[in-house]
Amino acid sequence: MIVLFFYVVLGEGLVALLLMFEIGPLRELGMKGLDQVKMRRATVLTIAATVFVILLSDLFSIFKIQNKGAKHGAMTPMDQVLWRTNVLEATLMGFFLFLGLLIDRMHHHMRKLDELKSSNGVSKEEFDRVEREKLQLKENQEKTGLEVERLRKEISGLTENVKKLKLESTEKDKSVKSAEARVASLQKQTAELLLEYDRLLEDNQNLQNQVER
C-alpha cells in the first residue's frame, strides 16, 4: 500500500510540474488527460473518499498507539513499527489528497484562462470590426457633409433665383399696371374724341342745313 501511494504521489507531482511549466506539448497532453479523468468524476470522488476514510483510520491508529505507549511509559518495538508505518501511510495519503486538490484547481483555472484567452481573441475581432465600422461611418459622414454642403449651395442659388424672379414679377406687375393705366387713359381720350367728333358732325350738319335754307 505504501509503495503504491508513493508512486501515485510521485505521479501527481509530475502532473503538477507539467501544469506549472510548459514543456513542449506535454502540458496540453496533461490537460487532455485530466479532462478525461474529470469525465469519470464519480469514480474519482469515490477513490478520494476511500483514501480520506483510510487516512482517518490511520490517524486514529496513530493516536491509539501513542496513547498506549503513554500509558506504558514507552512504545514496544512492534508498536513503533506500526506507528511509523501509519505515519508514513497517512503522510502519503495526505500528500495524495492535497496534490489531487491542487491539480484539480490548477486544471480548472487553466481552462478558465484558456476560455478568457479565446474570449479576448473574439473580443479583439469584435473590436476590430467595430473600428472598421466606425471608420466607414466617419467616411459616410464626411461624404454626407459634402453632399449637404452641395445641396445647401444649390438651395442658396435657387433662393437667389426665386428672389430675382419675384423681383422681375413685381416689375412686370408694375409694367402691366402702368400699361393698363395708359390703356385706360387712351380709352378715355378716345371716348372724348369720339364725343367731340360726333359734336362736330352735328355742328357740320346744322351748318349745312342753314346754308340750304
Side-chain angles (χ1 to χ4, degrees):
M1 180 73 75
I2 292 176
V3 176
L4 176 62
F5 273 110
F6 177 78
Y7 284 117
V8 171
V9 170
L10 182 61
E12 286 182 330
L14 290 175
V15 172
L17 286 174
L18 288 177
L19 295 179
M20 291 175 62
F21 303 101
E22 188 171 0
I23 306 173
L26 295 180
R27 175 187 283 182
E28 188 61 30
L29 291 175
M31 293 291 290
K32 290 181 180 179
L34 290 173
D35 290 337
Q36 295 296 324
V37 171
K38 282 195 171 183
M39 291 177 66
R40 299 174 178 83
R41 192 172 186 83
T43 303
V44 174
L45 291 176
T46 301
I47 294 173
T50 303
V51 173
F52 184 72
V53 171
I54 297 173
L55 173 62
L56 292 177
S57 176
D58 285 342
L59 292 174
F60 178 76
S61 297
I62 290 170
F63 289 122
K64 184 178 180 181
I65 293 170
Q66 285 180 341
N67 290 332
K68 182 180 178 183
K71 287 181 181 180
H72 293 86
M75 288 186 292
T76 63
M78 181 62 69
D79 288 339
Q80 289 181 0
V81 171
L82 288 174
W83 183 83
R84 289 172 182 171
T85 302
N86 287 331
V87 169
L88 180 58
E89 189 173 294
T91 302
L92 289 173
M93 284 188 288
F95 273 114
F96 168 78
L97 293 174
F98 173 74
L99 288 175
L101 180 62
L102 179 65
I103 290 170
D104 178 70
R105 291 295 86 195
M106 288 177 66
H107 176 266
H108 173 74
H109 290 301
M110 291 183 71
R111 281 300 179 210
K112 286 290 184 182
L113 183 61
D114 290 340
E115 291 177 1
L116 286 174
K117 286 181 179 179
S118 300
S119 64
N120 285 336
V122 174
S123 299
K124 188 176 183 302
E125 292 177 0
E126 186 70 15
F127 177 78
D128 292 338
R129 184 181 65 80
V130 171
E131 284 295 320
R132 288 194 298 270
E133 291 180 354
K134 183 179 178 181
L135 182 60
Q136 186 176 1
L137 179 61
K138 185 177 180 181
E139 292 177 353
N140 291 335
Q141 287 178 344
E142 291 177 354
K143 291 180 181 178
T144 303
L146 293 174
E147 185 67 18
V148 168
E149 187 64 25
R150 185 183 64 81
L151 291 174
R152 186 177 297 169
K153 289 180 179 179
E154 290 183 359
I155 291 171
S156 178
L158 291 173
T159 303
E160 292 295 328
N161 290 333
V162 169
K163 288 180 179 178
K164 290 180 181 179
L165 290 174
K166 285 183 177 180
L167 183 60
E168 291 177 358
S169 176
T170 302
E171 292 177 353
K172 286 181 179 179
D173 288 340
K174 290 180 179 179
S175 299
V176 169
K177 289 180 180 180
S178 177
E180 288 177 349
R182 287 198 299 271
V183 168
S185 177
L186 290 173
Q187 288 178 345
K188 184 177 180 181
Q189 291 178 3
T190 302
E192 291 176 353
L193 289 173
L194 288 174
L195 290 174
E196 184 65 21
Y197 178 74
D198 290 338
R199 189 181 64 78
L200 291 173
L201 284 177
E202 185 177 355
D203 290 343
N204 185 36
Q205 185 65 37
N206 291 331
L207 290 173
Q208 287 180 359
N209 293 331
Q210 291 178 3
V211 170
E212 289 178 354
R213 291 179 185 175

